[in-house]
Amino acid sequence: MTIEIELKFIAAPEAAAKIASKLTAWPHQYTAGQALTNIYFETADSQLRRWDMGLRIRGFGDRYEMTLKTAGQTIGGLHQRPEYNVALDKPELDIQQLPADVWPAGTDVAALQPQLKALFSTHFVREKWVVTYLQSEIEVAYDCGDVTADDRSEPLMEIELELKSGQRDDLLAFAAELATIEGLRLGSLSKAARGYALAQGNLPRPLRPVPLLKVKPKATVEEGMRASFLLALSQWQYHEELWLRGNSGALHEVKDALEVLRQTFSLYGALVPRKASSELRQKLTLLEEALQNDQLDAQTCCFSPLWLETQLALTHWIATERWRQFVDQKADAKLQGSFKRFSDIMLGRIAADLKETFDHLNHSGEYQDKLARLHRQVLAVHLLAGAYDTTIVNAWLQSWKQLREAIVGQQDVWLDAHRQQALKQSAFWKNGSL
């Protein structure tokens, strides 16, 4: 078993052509292109998928290898998963050669074997460079080919950075060096994930408004903060894919994801100094300004260095917990405190702010002036209220959302009624103060 740590870029053709010249800046060894075929297996009821596993046979030349990837973690385009590799004499699946302890307890491996059928395949030519960067060796692989399921296929053009030896920080720093190439974006979906989607017909995915953030019971403040950053990144990348596939409404959700980032920085600003995130927030500001353009093209925007550099900075921030370098002992004690207690305090403050903001408004222009503040506070509640009954929380939020929609729709006749309805709601959280 090995832990695979890799960072994946999706590449536009113009970026792929530039990668070789970019890599000449560092010592490296080059391997010419090799044709690879991968066949992925699954049961009729997607049992491996439910176990968060991926199983394939790879053919290269006259050699074959069976690989099982088990549950891991993906942050942005950074994939970290345990994998098991077994050399095969011929391209025939034999899962009994895998270690018995890789399977969930009680799995009947002999019964599972005949249920596994080829579901989809990938075919590509891979060029490789092994680059020495700082204290690490990083394999850069450029894959060009396609993903195929039945009679459906889509192009595959990726650049993968895999840490062969050294430090994960070096891998992330090296990725930032390549991010200046026009035509790259982070690949949050693995080849297997793309293959599963294709096998299911690549059905259009719905927009996914910001959900209530759920964390484990007795989570710390730091765990809640980290979960908020992960939620923002997940929302961003999910809707990036939809926007690139032609769903124009996804851009609004991308902007909301960026606002979730803003609200996370704001909520935890007393615990994590602003200087800790200054570089990331500067990139975020530049990206938000770029997204104000009314003539945005998804392809141009999502494959721009600014888009990529901002996502990479956020990925680095989360994966390495960079805020820890700036947190003193007093702030750390608060970060290790109860997230539920922290949420109750912050929900009380948000409610007080909304009451002060909307207590006395006389005309529609005043409502318009308060709209952005209302939207920010509603998003902040989504990050804090996950410990409470969803029905109760959504009912509380709905009153404020109705007011927001009336302001956006300039439904002046309803403004005062919605405002009063929202203001008279009882608190669903426990009272608390610092």
Side-chain angles (χ1 to χ4, degrees):
M1 189 270 285
T2 58
I3 300 294
E4 179 187 58
I5 300 177
E6 67 176 22
L7 193 140
K8 187 190 303 291
F9 293 125
I10 307 298
E14 64 269 21
K18 296 174 184 175
I19 188 68
S21 59
K22 183 75 172 179
L23 296 178
T24 59
W26 302 281
H28 66 272
Q29 293 181 323
Y30 172 71
T31 302
Q34 181 182 38
L36 301 177
T37 294
N38 300 277
I39 301 173
Y40 290 78
F41 295 84
E42 183 54 280
T43 65
D45 62 352
S46 300
Q47 180 61 73
L48 296 185
R49 194 68 169 161
R50 295 202 303 276
W51 286 337
D52 197 11
M53 290 180 167
L55 178 65
R56 74 173 185 225
I57 290 178
R58 168 169 289 175
F60 44 104
D62 58 357
R63 292 182 293 167
Y64 305 95
E65 183 178 67
M66 177 173 60
T67 297
L68 177 72
K69 295 189 180 186
T70 59
Q73 183 182 46
T74 298
I75 301 173
L78 182 68
H79 302 254
Q80 302 171 89
R81 298 187 75 178
E83 69 173 29
Y84 300 82
N85 298 297
V86 177
L88 300 174
D89 295 327
K90 50 188 176 180
E92 295 180 2
L93 199 63
D94 183 6
I95 61 174
Q96 302 213 42
Q97 292 194 47
L98 292 162
D101 60 1
V102 304
W103 305 104
T107 300
D108 186 337
V109 178
L112 178 61
Q113 169 83 43
Q115 298 179 51
L116 293 164
K117 308 296 181 185
L119 181 63
F120 59 90
S121 59
T122 61
H123 313 268
F124 53 88
V125 173
R126 167 169 288 181
E127 291 182 79
K128 292 193 300 187
W129 299 258
V130 177
V131 177
T132 301
Y133 181 80
L134 301 178
Q135 306 303 312
S136 301
E137 281 201 338
I138 298 168
E139 180 183 275
V140 181
Y142 167 50
D143 298 338
C144 184
D146 57 57
V147 185
T148 301
D150 297 326
D151 58 348
R152 296 179 293 273
S153 69
E154 66 176 38
L156 184 155
M157 194 172 294
E158 298 179 345
I159 295 170
E160 293 182 356
L161 314 181
E162 182 176 351
L163 186 65
K164 306 306 286 187
S165 65
Q167 304 299 317
R168 183 183 58 181
D169 274 12
D170 289 353
L171 178 70
L172 289 164
F174 182 64
E177 299 265 17
L178 301 184
T180 57
I181 299 176
E182 191 86 33
L184 296 177
R185 67 182 181 93
L186 283 182
S188 59
L189 299 178
S190 65
K191 291 183 178 70
R194 293 174 66 183
Y196 272 99
L198 195 64
Q200 294 165 2
N202 251 352
L203 301 174
R205 291 186 289 170
L207 297 177
R208 189 176 70 186
V210 176
L212 294 180
L213 175 66
K214 301 288 186 179
V215 298
K216 68 181 184 181
K218 298 184 178 179
T220 66
V221 174
E222 184 172 30
E223 288 171 329
M225 179 180 72
R226 189 174 188 274
S228 292
F229 285 123
L230 285 169
L231 174 63
L233 181 55
S234 172
Q235 287 288 111
W236 182 359
Q237 293 190 304
Y238 176 87
H239 292 100
E240 171 186 336
E241 295 287 342
L242 269 60
W243 190 27
L244 283 165
R245 290 180 182 269
N247 188 333
S248 60
L251 177 57
H252 172 78
E253 300 300 335
V254 167
K255 292 179 179 179
D256 266 5
L258 300 183
E259 186 56 49
V260 168
L261 281 179
R262 287 287 186 195
Q263 289 309 302
T264 303
F265 285 125
S266 176
L267 288 170
Y268 299 92
L271 304 179
V272 178
R274 287 179 61 82
K275 63 183 179 181
S277 59
S278 59
E279 181 181 348
L280 172 54
R281 286 184 293 102
Q282 286 168 9
K283 293 181 185 299
L284 181 58
T285 297
L286 291 173
L287 182 57
E288 288 169 329
E289 290 173 352
L291 292 179
Q292 297 308 310
N293 185 338
D294 293 334
Q295 304 299 320
L296 284 174
D297 172 70
Q299 191 77 12
T300 302
C301 193
C302 296
F303 281 92
S304 69
L306 176 58
W307 185 281
L308 174 56
E309 288 170 358
T310 309
Q311 277 194 3
L312 264 178
L314 178 57
T315 298
H316 200 168
W317 170 264
I318 299 170
T320 64
E321 299 181 342
R322 285 177 65 83
W323 58 85
R324 294 236 122 253
Q325 304 168 28
F326 299 86
V327 172
D328 60 22
Q329 189 172 4
K330 183 178 179 182
D332 185 53
K334 292 182 178 180
L335 282 171
Q336 303 317 311
S338 164
F339 175 65
K340 172 64 166 56
R341 171 70 171 161
F342 173 85
S343 295
D344 286 340
I345 293 167
M346 301 308 292
L347 286 166
R349 291 180 179 178
I350 289 170
D353 180 79
L354 287 171
K355 185 177 188 329
E356 181 181 353
T357 302
F358 288 95
D359 207 14
H360 298 289
L361 298 184
N362 298 312
H363 56 80
S364 60
E366 290 182 272
Y367 284 91
Q368 290 292 336
D369 292 342
K370 309 297 184 184
L371 178 60
R373 189 181 194 90
L374 172 58
H375 185 60
R376 290 195 298 267
Q377 296 290 41
V378 165
L379 288 177
V381 172
H382 281 79
L383 302 178
L384 297 165
Y388 289 94
D389 181 85
T390 300
T391 302
I392 295 172
V393 176
N394 283 337
W396 190 92
L397 282 168
Q398 185 59 29
S399 288
W400 289 107
K401 290 178 180 178
Q402 285 177 334
L403 175 58
R404 183 182 64 189
E405 289 163 8
I407 299 171
V408 171
Q410 298 182 343
Q411 301 167 4
D412 295 359
V413 68
W414 292 105
L415 291 176
D416 190 58
H418 286 319
R419 178 184 67 85
Q420 293 192 41
Q421 173 63 31
L423 286 171
K424 73 179 184 181
Q425 296 183 103
S426 300
F428 60 80
W429 58 91
K430 291 184 179 179
N431 294 325
S433 60
L434 287 175

